[in-house]
Amino acid sequence: MDYEAYFQGELDAVRNEGRYRIFTEIERRCGNYPHATRYVEDRTEQVTVWCSNDYLGMGQHPAVLEAMHQTLDECGAGAGGTRNISGTNHHHVLLENELADLHGKEAALLFTSGYVSNWAGLGTLCAKLPGCVVFSDALNHASMIEGIRHSRATCRVWRHNDVEHLDQLLSEYGPDVPKLVAFESVYSMDGDIGPLAEILDVCEKHGAMSYIDEVHAVGLYGPRGGGVAEREGLMDRITVIEGTLGKAFGVMGGYIAASAALCDFVRTFASGFIFTTALPPALAAGAAASIRHLKSSEIERARHKERVATVRRKLDAMGIPHLPNPSHIIPVMVGDPHKCKRISDWLMDNHGIYVQPINYPTVPRGTERLRITPSPVHSDADVEKLIEALSDIWSQCELARRSAAA
């Protein structure tokens, strides 16, 4: 077999479809974010980032940076190994305590990313519970799907946010069958929010464990940043709350929060925890500082909410199509991969606006979009520049469409 020819052929097919991913090389500027430096061959350009998951700008918050600098000086760069052998640092323990407190749980368990926490958490629970049947929302994240697949447990997929369908599927299994229902709070591409209370009602009706992914909600929702479940007063009813430290908290890592026994169970049996090097202590310290700050500060969340509302209002005024939803995510709908990439390139090349095109397989074909994420650190001038540029390119696209139709 000509391996290289095969690789190239598959890549060419993705390019022809218009969904080949080109990474934009940027350097975030601490203290000046969302502005960044873009590296293009032998030159640099200044750009404004509109597609980051550092939703609150905590990646440059003084409290976070101070904690990381101090811990780096005290502990050095790495953790020294896996948690089981040589890598459990005092800062890992402090961070897990902060996370357990954030979600009102007995314990929390830290992982190297949100992807790993889902893969290891779901993979372990579903594999080790004898005869477990998993009920997975149709739009669950790839990491949740991979964890469930890895477990080899029976999986039933319920229609997205369709509580009646979930109830129907659960009704097919008796009370003696272990069940786990996996779902998200904020779905990151459409920005919709699951009906958490109704889902939990059904879980409790059928004696099922509940596993919620709050990665796009922690830090952003609830009086202390505990997520949508905290905002709605539901955390005590959820078996496992999974989250990330790499989005609104601005650092890196993932975690689950649950009972002490469940966390210890995953710690003991999850290969994704046992056999991987622990997070550097400085990252753990920075994440803990971010969580502590957002537990008591509403400034970032209030400013963030205002910025999102402002961008939505201005998009509506310009007639630029975006999906209405109750979250902070603004999907500007394009519907064609080639067009989506051209618009993204044009915004970057002509206005220094960085917003990546979102194509298949992240979203279904025909729903390609620009995923805009306003933050508290976007100024009025940043917002005006974005809206003017989008209005300009949308006008050009409409003229081109009319010319082609004539």
Side-chain angles (χ1 to χ4, degrees):
M1 180 178 184
D2 187 339
Y3 299 107
E4 294 299 314
Y6 172 78
F7 298 150
Q8 197 57 57
E10 292 296 299
L11 291 170
D12 289 343
V14 174
R15 285 190 180 92
N16 292 336
E17 195 177 334
R19 60 184 182 90
Y20 179 76
R21 288 174 168 84
I22 297 175
F23 292 161
T24 299
E25 183 181 353
I26 66 168
E27 185 173 75
R28 287 157 54 106
R29 310 305 298 176
C30 184
N32 195 33
Y33 185 75
H35 304 291
T37 300
R38 177 195 183 196
Y39 288 82
V40 187
E41 297 176 352
D42 59 348
R43 70 183 192 278
T44 60
E45 301 171 351
Q46 299 307 301
V47 301
T48 305
V49 180
W50 277 100
C51 53
S52 174
N53 286 341
D54 185 358
Y55 293 128
L56 299 176
M58 292 301 293
Q60 63 179 355
H61 194 280
V64 176
L65 300 184
E66 181 182 357
M68 294 184 72
H69 281 299
Q70 180 178 338
T71 307
L72 184 63
D73 290 339
E74 292 173 351
C75 300
T82 66
R83 293 279 296 275
N84 289 284
I85 297 175
S86 59
T88 294
N89 187 278
H90 179 56
H91 292 283
H92 296 137
V93 177
L94 293 177
L95 174 54
E96 287 173 340
N97 291 340
E98 288 288 351
L99 290 166
D101 173 76
L102 176 67
H103 294 295
K105 297 297 185 184
E106 291 179 343
L109 188 64
L110 182 63
F111 295 87
T112 51
S113 73
Y115 191 103
V116 174
S117 56
N118 269 333
W119 181 84
L122 283 169
T124 302
L125 290 170
C126 300
K128 298 293 289 183
L129 284 168
C132 181
V133 179
V134 191
F135 301 82
S136 178
D137 185 282
L139 292 188
N140 275 343
H141 189 264
S143 59
M144 303 175 77
I145 295 169
E146 287 300 319
I148 294 166
R149 284 176 177 167
H150 176 72
S151 76
R152 299 187 178 181
T154 299
C155 180
R156 304 295 302 276
V157 177
W158 46 290
R159 290 187 293 270
H160 178 54
N161 283 344
D162 188 334
V163 180
E164 290 185 3
H165 188 219
L166 172 63
D167 186 27
Q168 174 189 328
L169 293 180
L170 281 163
S171 297
E172 297 176 12
Y173 300 87
D176 57 327
V177 177
K179 310 172 194 68
L180 184 147
V181 177
F183 55 100
E184 300 183 36
S185 57
V186 178
Y187 288 83
S188 63
M189 288 300 123
D190 288 351
D192 56 328
I193 296 178
L196 305 193
E198 291 85 350
I199 292 172
L200 294 174
D201 288 343
V202 172
C203 290
E204 291 161 0
K205 172 183 174 183
H206 295 280
M209 298 173 64
S210 51
Y211 183 109
I212 187 171
D213 177 316
E214 288 252 46
V215 297
H216 291 275
V218 290
L220 298 169
Y221 299 89
R224 298 200 309 158
V228 176
E230 184 196 25
R231 183 187 71 180
E232 299 182 5
L234 300 170
M235 291 194 299
D236 62 314
R237 296 175 60 189
I238 300 173
T239 311
V240 183
I241 298 174
E242 185 269 346
T244 185
L245 306 168
K247 292 181 171 61
F249 291 129
V251 190
M252 180 184 176
Y255 64 89
I256 60 170
S259 70
L262 189 150
C263 287
D264 198 16
F265 181 86
V266 174
R267 182 189 71 89
T268 301
F269 293 109
S271 62
F273 177 87
I274 296 169
F275 297 107
T276 192
T277 299
L279 279 179
L283 290 180
S290 181
I291 294 166
R292 282 194 298 270
H293 176 81
L294 290 173
K295 281 179 179 177
S296 60
S297 174
E298 274 294 326
I299 296 171
E300 292 81 8
R301 284 189 284 273
R303 170 72 171 172
H304 180 242
K305 186 176 181 180
E306 182 276 327
R307 293 285 83 182
V308 171
T310 296
V311 173
R312 286 189 187 280
R313 184 175 66 251
K314 290 181 178 292
L315 288 173
D316 288 338
M318 291 294 182
I320 297 171
H322 62 97
L323 281 183
N325 62 56
S327 78
H328 59 283
I329 294 164
I330 304 178
V332 173
M333 306 306 291
V334 178
D336 176 87
H338 297 280
K339 185 177 177 182
C340 198
K341 180 66 168 63
R342 286 197 300 270
I343 292 174
S344 173
D345 290 345
W346 186 90
L347 289 170
M348 178 74 90
D349 295 338
N350 292 276
H351 294 276
I353 291 173
Y354 175 37
V355 53
Q356 280 283 69
I358 306 294
N359 298 324
Y360 178 85
T362 308
V363 295
R365 289 182 173 92
T367 69
E368 291 80 10
R369 67 201 64 184
L370 303 175
R371 180 180 178 273
I372 294 174
T373 53
S375 77
V377 293
H378 283 100
S379 67
D380 288 342
D382 294 330
V383 173
E384 289 301 325
K385 184 177 180 181
L386 171 71
I387 298 301
E388 289 173 6
L390 285 172
S391 179
D392 188 2
I393 188 62
W394 240 259
S395 297
Q396 293 183 40
C397 291
E398 181 61 19
L399 288 173
R401 186 192 66 79
R402 290 177 182 177
S403 297

